[in-house]
Amino acid sequence: MHEVAVNPWVAFAYLVAGVCFILALRGLSSPATSQRGNRLGMIGMAIAVVTTLVTHVPIIVQVTNVALQPPGLPETLDFTTLSARVDWVAVLEILGAIALGAAIGITTARRIAMTAMPQLVAAFHSLVGLAAVLVGVAAYLNPLAFGIAEMVTPLIGAPFPVIHTASRVEMALGVAIGAITFSGSVIAFLKLNGNMGGKPILLPMRHAINLSILIAIVLLVALFAQTQAPWAFWTITVLAFVIGFLLIVPIGGADMPVVVSMLNSYSGWAAAAMGFTLGNTAMIITGALVGASGAILSYIMCAAMNRSFVSVIAGGFGAEAGAGGGAAAATDRPWKRGSAEDAAFLMQQAEQVVIVPGYGMAVAQAQHILREMADKLKEHGVRVKYAIHPVAGRMPGHMNVLLAEANVPYDEVFELEDINADFAQTDVAFVIGANDVTNPAAKTDKSSPIYGMPVLDVEKAGTVLFIKRSMGGVGYAGVDNELFYRDNTMMLLADAKKMVEEIVKALGS
């Protein structure tokens, strides 16, 4: 399989696919160009898949021995002939698998709610990791079929395949990274889907255990590269599954956006490692792009949350028992309650309203009615902006996607560093379902698990309107929001979509 990639047309096709992937990443960096980026990514993947299928068509080679008795010669001559034909059964199996996967993907994409998009991404990451493991196992069990081994005949015993040293390293690393990605993504899915709590699960001596397993994996990879020992390969696989679980379990809900981005990076590196094993340039390019971009995004997300990048990827290093402990909201403190009519009046009289969306908006699917409210305010001469925190929601870009789905103009959407200075000159900050990213305690309370995380300075606005289902709940980080009890905050307790609908009616009247 390695020699196939030498074909210049194959190399050129993979190069075109790689360029499409790079342009796709460039397009996805902005909401205005994201659709074009998605299309380029789809084109690049189509080119890579078709090229791989065409150049790896299953072939059945037949060897035929023919005995001839030429006239005039006393002895019989033996001839060996070779013939090749396409294995159409294998081709149909491959096309059937592609069709089945496409049907599942299309059905899932059409039915999935935007609120479930983060856990869907985590589930997809787990599949990428599992695929890398299965490819690695297949290559180990039948290395000759993958073109990564040579048959060796010992002095005593039957011939056996010896895997190339470089392929052993690639295979072991691909399986290890893939297994970590799989088990880690499963835990991330369970946390995001609510099957596991967002509170960190801190095991005794977890750092010593994690470090010991990681060192063992590295040593076993080196041993496998030298000896090709079967027990070393299978032990690497098992330990990698275990460490993936242990790395993600102690990470709390507040850090889940970073986890999703980090697992995206892991899945890319696993694909790249398997690309070397398969001798597939497209997989190497795609995996490297995904791995590098995911790592960069994880670093940016950590900076946005004032988290140590090394701490997070090491499994919540530094987290203490009880951090993010799901403290109950301090409902005995005085707070002010408002109505839809109060909110409509205040915003109608304002010069500028800054809308701060969060996961609560996604749960209520209120993005469309929210845009309608903004349009009503603009009809009254009110300037409307949207403030997006980098980790609002459950994955990077979650809020941007929701607002784009509702056709919110891109020039009205601002990131934290571009909008924070505006809150002091803002008449009304309208917070819809964003909790932790607006909590002033992140700047003042050193005991808070979100202390040091940059937050939106909504408390500096003249009036803060905060939509929340009830005063009894807390954010995903498990801490109460000091903003609820500020003198300039008015709580609008209701379902987000229903409350905004009532505000729109009040604006219309």
Side-chain angles (χ1 to χ4, degrees), residues 53-84:
L53 290 176
V54 170
T55 56
H56 293 78
V57 174
I59 300 294
I60 296 178
V61 178
Q62 292 179 322
V63 181
T64 305
N65 294 319
V66 180
L68 296 178
Q69 179 66 52
L73 292 178
E75 67 273 4
T76 301
L77 300 180
D78 293 329
F79 293 91
T80 300
T81 61
L82 298 177
S83 61

Side-chain angles (χ1 to χ4, degrees), residues 152-427:
V152 174
T153 303
L155 295 176
I156 301 176
F160 63 93
V162 175
I163 302 173
H164 303 150
T165 302
S167 296
R168 295 180 205 171
V169 176
E170 298 157 3
M171 184 191 309
L173 289 177
V175 168
I177 299 173
I180 292 172
T181 304
F182 173 75
S183 56
S185 297
V186 169
I187 298 301
F189 172 85
L190 294 175
K191 283 177 173 281
L192 290 166
N193 204 45
N195 303 107
M196 291 181 65
K199 181 180 177 181
I201 301 174
L202 305 179
L203 302 176
M205 300 179 63
R206 63 190 183 282
H207 301 314
I209 295 173
N210 292 347
L211 184 61
S212 299
I213 295 177
L214 289 173
I215 292 175
I217 291 175
V218 172
L219 294 176
L220 287 169
V221 169
L223 177 64
F224 179 72
Q226 293 295 322
T227 66
Q228 195 178 315
W231 69 268
F233 178 82
W234 297 115
T235 305
I236 290 170
T237 306
V238 172
L239 289 180
F241 278 123
V242 173
I243 193 63
F245 170 82
L246 295 176
L247 285 175
I248 305 303
V249 161
I251 298 179
D255 293 327
M256 288 313 295
V258 181
V259 172
V260 172
S261 177
M262 179 182 66
L263 291 170
N264 178 55
S265 177
Y266 288 174
S267 67
W269 296 123
M274 286 300 103
F276 281 105
T277 298
L278 296 174
N280 190 297
T281 308
M283 283 186 67
I284 296 171
I285 295 174
T286 307
L289 287 172
V290 173
S293 60
I296 293 170
L297 180 59
S298 299
Y299 180 81
I300 294 173
M301 300 289 284
C302 284
M305 301 174 68
N306 194 35
R307 294 290 194 267
S308 166
F309 180 69
V310 176
S311 302
V312 174
I313 65 174
F317 183 82
E320 300 298 334
T331 54
D332 56 335
R333 298 170 60 181
W335 53 278
K336 292 188 295 186
R337 182 168 186 168
S339 64
E341 290 74 18
D342 297 330
F345 176 79
L346 288 170
M347 288 192 287
Q348 200 169 2
Q349 304 304 314
E351 291 185 6
Q352 175 168 288
V353 172
V354 175
I355 299 172
V356 181
Y359 189 64
M361 182 193 75
V363 172
Q365 299 185 22
Q367 61 269 28
H368 296 282
I369 190 65
L370 184 67
R371 193 216 64 209
E372 186 178 341
M373 184 193 80
D375 291 342
K376 290 281 187 182
L377 290 173
K378 285 185 279 187
E379 290 175 5
H380 290 283
V382 180
R383 186 167 59 254
V384 177
K385 296 181 179 180
Y386 296 80
I388 306 296
H389 192 281
V391 295
R394 293 294 185 269
M395 71 176 187
H398 199 179
M399 295 301 105
N400 300 79
V401 173
L402 287 172
L403 295 179
E405 182 188 24
N407 296 317
V408 171
Y410 299 132
D411 57 357
E412 294 179 3
V413 181
F414 297 87
E415 300 296 330
L416 178 144
E417 61 272 13
D418 299 320
I419 195 70
N420 247 1
D422 286 16
F423 281 108
Q425 291 80 41
T426 297
D427 300 293

